[in-house]
Amino acid sequence: MAVETKAVTVPELALADTDINWDRLDKTRFHIIGAILFTAQSALLHPTSVVKTRMQVAGSGFSHMGGISVFRHILKSDGIPGIFRGFGTSAVGSLPGRVLALTSLEVSKDMMLKYTEDLDMPEATRIGMANAVAGMFSNLVSCGYYVPLDVICQRLMVQGLPGTTSCNRPFDVMHKVIKAEGLRGLYRGFGLTAVTQSPASALWWGAYGSAQHIIWSSLGYTDDAAKKPSHMEMVTVQAAAGMMAGACASVITTPIDTVKTRLQVMDNYGVGRPSVLKTAKALLKEDGWRGFYRGFGPRFLNMSLYGTTMIVTYELIKRLSVRRE
């Protein structure tokens, strides 16, 4: 009886609980809890997205300012609503997309882990590879949904800046974009997003999976060992792995993100439809290679914090959603 009491009071977990597979989850609870917690997490990070987007737009007056200065300017001129422009659309619109992304991520990761379990390779490599493939597949699947949502949200974020079309609400943005360019206008930057963000997603998830496994191994934890991590150790290791993955991804993807943002929100490119090449040339002409890293500070902060908070939130959701036997 004394042994049972000790097991209840000491929060020890098997290392396997750091990577809960899809078949162990209560899917309904997983998506409901996920919707609530990820919306709260998005609210915390949305201001950095607004700052980053405004810094990347030509003629905004913000492109050569620091992130803190831009944040203060928005707060002074537009108040709290200014730093949360586009959040309502993003939060509500993301719900179906998140179900699609998380389901495809977990199912594909589970399949990859099963298909590679008999291969002769280091465990960290196998886990990293499974996470990378899952991250890429999930990104490709969800791009068709998220790119139009991204176009709408970013246009709301940059309202009032030179070179942008004046819009009031999400449906007004949709109406004006479709009227001017048809449905393809909502998919500005789709090819660039799919081709570049999918490898970036693979990099993020692969780095996270490998980093977490390496950290656990270096601390002396294995699935077979009697030594088991506490809840606090689990959260700390997952947060550290998420931060490292997010920081690496931000350095590699910021130039692509700058071009994509310009492509999605600017309308005054003169003759013809905006293209990736036109946008990149204009950026290079304005500010040289440094121009591709406009908004790098807020994006680095956003992706590092996002990597940490997202993965801690995500792993918590999975632990809360484990199906009771």
Side-chain angles (χ1 to χ4, degrees):
M1 211 52 192
V3 174
E4 292 180 359
T5 304
K6 185 177 179 181
V8 171
T9 55
V10 179
E12 291 189 337
L13 302 167
L15 197 58
D17 287 328
T18 64
D19 193 12
I20 299 166
N21 292 332
W22 180 246
D23 55 3
R24 294 175 58 193
L25 297 175
D26 179 323
K27 312 305 186 289
T28 302
R29 194 187 312 155
F30 175 68
H31 288 305
I32 290 174
I33 296 173
I36 295 168
L37 293 184
F38 274 129
T39 300
Q41 182 230 5
S42 296
L44 291 173
L45 296 177
H46 190 78
T48 63
S49 223
V50 174
V51 171
K52 179 269 301 180
T53 301
R54 290 200 159 213
M55 289 175 72
Q56 290 175 338
V57 175
S60 64
F62 298 131
S63 56
H64 297 288
M65 293 170 63
I68 300 295
S69 299
V70 174
F71 178 80
R72 286 175 178 167
H73 184 278
I74 297 172
L75 204 57
K76 184 178 179 180
S77 59
D78 297 325
I80 298 294
I83 60 172
F84 281 96
R85 276 190 179 174
F87 174 69
T89 303
S90 175
V92 175
S94 292
L95 294 176
R98 193 171 289 126
V99 171
L100 182 66
L102 295 183
T103 300
S104 57
L105 175 73
E106 285 299 323
V107 170
S108 55
K109 183 174 74 171
D110 205 31
M111 290 175 64
M112 278 299 297
L113 286 171
K114 287 176 181 176
Y115 287 143
T116 58
E117 61 185 355
D118 294 327
L119 296 180
D120 183 20
M121 63 173 65
E123 189 66 8
T125 303
R126 189 176 79 90
I127 292 172
M129 186 172 72
N131 275 270
V133 171
M136 178 177 286
F137 179 72
S138 174
N139 189 270
L140 285 171
V141 167
S142 57
C143 262
Y145 180 87
Y146 275 116
V147 169
L149 181 64
D150 204 26
V151 169
I152 293 168
C153 291
Q154 289 190 331
R155 281 178 174 255
L156 290 172
M157 288 178 193
V158 298
Q159 284 304 290
L161 299 184
T164 62
T165 302
S166 177
C167 302
N168 295 318
R169 297 186 181 278
F171 288 108
D172 187 33
V173 175
M174 286 182 62
H175 173 73
K176 288 181 177 176
V177 171
I178 292 173
K179 185 178 179 181
E181 300 182 57
L183 275 175
R184 66 183 298 197
L186 291 174
Y187 281 89
R188 273 195 194 179
F190 175 80
L192 186 64
T193 302
V195 169
T196 58
Q197 293 302 315
S198 295
S201 181
L203 169 68
W204 195 100
W205 283 101
Y208 169 71
S210 295
Q212 187 184 189
H213 185 82
I214 291 167
I215 292 170
W216 283 127
S217 298
S218 66
L219 293 175
Y221 289 105
T222 65
D223 281 326
D224 301 325
K227 182 184 179 184
K228 300 181 186 297
S230 67
H231 285 282
M232 184 55 68
E233 287 175 309
M234 190 175 288
V235 169
T236 302
V237 169
Q238 289 169 344
M243 181 176 285
M244 287 188 285
C248 290
S250 69
V251 173
I252 294 169
T253 61
T254 293
I256 298 161
D257 184 69
T258 302
V259 173
K260 178 179 73 71
T261 299
R262 285 280 196 98
L263 186 64
Q264 290 177 334
V265 303
M266 298 297 289
D267 292 313
N268 63 343
Y269 276 82
V271 180
R273 188 173 185 269
S275 68
V276 173
L277 190 59
K278 277 186 187 178
T279 307
K281 281 182 177 178
L283 195 58
L284 195 59
K285 186 178 179 181
E286 288 167 22
D287 213 13
W289 291 105
R290 289 182 58 191
F292 289 95
Y293 275 88
R294 282 183 181 176
F296 174 70
R299 181 169 171 79
F300 183 87
L301 180 64
N302 180 285
M303 290 196 72
S304 298
L305 289 176
Y306 175 81
T308 304
T309 58
M310 184 279 288
I311 206 62
V312 169
T313 303
Y314 183 58
E315 298 288 6
L316 173 62
I317 291 166
K318 289 173 71 174
R319 288 198 292 277
L320 293 173
S321 304
V322 172
R323 193 169 49 239
R324 294 181 177 86
E325 302 297 339

